[in-house]
Amino acid sequence: AQSVTQLDSQVPVFEEAPVELRCNYSSSVSVYLFWYVQYPNQGLQLLLKYLSGSTLVKGINGFEAEFNKSQTSFHLRKPSVHISDTAEYFCAVWETGANNLFFGTGTRLTVIP
Amino acid sequence: DSGVTQTPKHLITATGQRVTLRCSPRSGDLSVYWYQQSLDQGLQFLIQYYNGEERAKGNILERFSAQQFPDLHSELNLSSLELGDSALYFCASSVDSGANVLTFGAGSRLTVL
């Protein structure tokens, strides 16, 4: 069965510092990879996605992620965070042939002024 | 506004009761997915419908049921409610059954007292 591991449940970081949120998945078949963001009291918003092509994908709000097939990872990065980036971030995997997204348990990013 | 509409936003009810959550997908989307988000279980896939037919089932309890109507809106019925059913219930939609980019609604927060 597919599993998605987000290694850090909470990540505090100072404003304007870089951040990396880690995500690993287990799958023996082709996958599509996603990061979603959930701001307080809101639904999930798509941050970025990897479907094919370049392994470095850029998303909204200055975030990017790199797909590493050999490491089965899809870590999310931002070179300089803002207070407004404080939110919960979810990594998700769609296996080819599946009918739903599998989500990780989420990483709460807190940006400290 | 993601285009996926969920009602009600908040619902408080008692154990043993039954509630119905409603979802209208984004215009043009034929697939609807239901997810449950709780503190201890994270985001769990419940069920998927495509153009009125059930396509995939996840960790949905027998006390829960869903359907998608001809106008493509969907309803999630939760019965014999227990305290542990308190959670945020998300609906998401996509263009077709195999599409992997989901657009999420803002969620319905259910509190069972």
Side-chain angles (χ1 to χ4, degrees), chain A:
Chain A
Q2 175 61 250
S3 71
V4 183
T5 303
Q6 291 185 243
L7 297 163
D8 306 298
S9 60
Q10 296 189 53
V11 173
V13 62
F14 285 104
E15 193 175 12
E16 297 184 9
V19 70
E20 179 180 79
L21 306 183
R22 296 178 292 171
C23 173
N24 287 87
Y25 65 93
S26 66
S27 178
S28 58
V29 300
S30 295
V31 295
Y32 304 117
L33 299 158
F34 305 82
W35 277 97
Y36 280 83
V37 59
Q38 184 179 26
Y39 298 105
N41 301 313
Q42 293 188 29
L44 281 79
Q45 180 183 354
L46 182 65
L47 204 53
L48 51 76
K49 61 183 185 286
Y50 171 79
L51 303 182
S52 65
S54 172
T55 56
L56 182 64
V57 292
K58 294 188 185 299
I60 61 172
N61 301 338
F63 283 93
E64 63 180 34
E66 185 150 22
F67 169 52
N68 187 320
K69 189 173 181 179
S70 62
Q71 305 271 336
T72 59
S73 68
F74 191 55
H75 301 333
L76 181 70
R77 301 188 193 99
K78 185 169 182 178
S80 174
V81 294
H82 301 287
I83 296 291
S84 59
D85 293 324
T86 293
E88 187 98 20
Y89 291 79
F90 292 93
C91 180
V93 174
W94 182 293
E95 276 188 347
T96 51
N99 284 309
N100 69 88
L101 272 178
F102 291 93
F103 283 88
T105 50
T107 297
R108 182 172 299 278
L109 173 65
T110 302
V111 180
I112 305 163

